[in-house]
Amino acid sequence: MAVSTFRPMSAVSDFLTQPGFWWGVPAGAVLSGVITSVVTARSVRRSDERKALQEDKVLDRKEEREDQRRNEDLVFEAATEFATVCSDILMKSVDVEGVFNFLRDALNSEAGLPDPKAMEKLAFAQMRVEEAKGITTPFNKLKMVASPALLAAASRLNTSILALNQTTTQPFARQVAMKTAGDELDNFINVFRTECGREQYTSSAAQRDAMSFMATLEQQVARFVEDAKRDLRSAGFTTTPWDN
């Protein structure tokens, strides 16, 4: 009994060695078809690989843009909150009721009189301390996401706000500290605007816009006065409140 032997053969060679396949089929056509199929398969595979690689690159760039946008949003939120808190502290630090009055306090001290504004001064100082404490959280949030340049500006602003808080009972020193803190707030805002690709809004530009507004306001007031004078005279009045 003969023992059959098995020899591994590729699918292509096994197909080509079938007797019925060669009947009337040119060898060149067969080889050409096989080679073309192999080349085509390899080309498709390489094309798929290049396409997959390109898709990966596009996906990576998209994720990078999304990460950058999220980081910009975080910086914007933290910087805006910090600037808002600082601005609010500056506004509330103005002694609009004149609790601290150097001349009045000097006269009362000279005459040996009790300070009539003592309790108001204490309440004012306590409020400023509580407000200054509120700057800590937004400042720390900004430290987590801000660039070194923006963080440096924020640190100067934070220090100037704390220094302002220490001059609550010193009216003259307080004016200087207020001016310094205001300048540092403007600087912080301009550093942030620069990083966001926006043009800086300088103090000279702010002064120019303020003067332009005042000039427009004066013109409007002058027109109002002239119209009011004319209306009053038309109504029979011989004088108006604006007559010299």
Side-chain angles (χ1 to χ4, degrees):
M1 179 176 180
V3 179
S4 63
T5 59
F6 175 77
R7 183 171 56 87
M9 301 175 66
S10 68
V12 174
S13 61
D14 191 31
F15 177 67
L16 294 178
T17 54
Q18 296 298 319
F21 176 77
W22 290 102
W23 185 259
V25 181
V30 173
L31 294 177
S32 176
V34 172
I35 293 174
T36 301
S37 299
V38 173
V39 172
T40 301
R42 290 181 178 177
S43 299
V44 170
R45 183 171 63 255
R46 291 175 180 174
S47 176
D48 290 342
E49 291 174 352
R50 288 193 299 269
K51 182 178 180 181
L53 182 61
Q54 182 65 24
E55 290 177 350
D56 289 341
K57 291 181 178 179
V58 172
L59 182 60
D60 290 341
R61 288 196 295 268
K62 181 179 179 181
E63 291 177 349
E64 289 176 1
R65 288 194 299 269
E66 290 177 350
D67 289 342
Q68 181 179 0
R69 186 159 48 247
R70 281 193 294 268
N71 184 68
E72 291 174 351
D73 290 341
L74 290 174
V75 173
F76 177 82
E77 179 183 353
T80 302
E81 181 182 358
F82 179 67
T84 300
V85 171
C86 291
S87 179
D88 188 57
I89 291 175
L90 285 175
M91 291 294 295
K92 292 180 178 179
S93 294
V94 178
D95 184 10
V96 294
E97 296 181 359
V99 176
F100 294 94
N101 186 297
F102 178 77
L103 295 178
R104 183 195 63 222
D105 293 346
L107 290 174
N108 288 332
S109 297
E110 183 69 21
L113 298 175
D115 186 356
K117 297 288 185 178
M119 295 304 297
E120 294 181 48
K121 290 179 180 179
L122 180 60
F124 184 87
Q126 287 178 337
M127 288 297 297
R128 301 296 80 79
V129 171
E130 290 298 321
E131 290 163 359
K133 289 164 59 178
I135 201 175
T136 303
T137 297
F139 180 58
N140 287 335
K141 287 174 62 177
L142 188 61
K143 288 166 65 176
M144 299 292 292
V145 294
S147 67
L150 186 60
L151 186 56
S155 297
R156 290 195 298 269
L157 176 55
N158 182 64
T159 302
S160 67
I161 293 294
L162 296 178
L164 172 64
N165 187 56
Q166 295 174 359
T167 63
T168 301
T169 60
Q170 305 172 39
F172 292 114
R174 190 167 184 77
Q175 296 302 317
V176 177
M178 181 81 71
K179 173 69 166 55
T180 301
D183 291 342
E184 291 299 338
L185 176 59
D186 288 340
N187 178 68
F188 173 78
I189 292 174
N190 278 320
V191 172
F192 175 71
R193 290 178 63 87
T194 299
E195 292 197 355
C196 292
R198 296 178 175 86
E199 185 177 356
Q200 289 193 3
Y201 188 66
T202 61
S203 57
S204 59
Q207 184 177 9
R208 179 198 63 220
D209 293 338
M211 295 302 294
S212 175
F213 167 76
M214 293 302 298
T216 301
L217 181 61
E218 289 177 0
Q219 293 175 2
Q220 293 174 344
V221 171
R223 285 197 297 268
F224 168 78
V225 170
E226 291 301 321
D227 292 342
K229 286 181 178 180
R230 184 178 61 252
D231 293 340
L232 287 173
R233 291 193 180 102
S234 298
F237 291 92
T238 58
T239 62
T240 69
W242 299 279
D243 293 339
N244 293 328

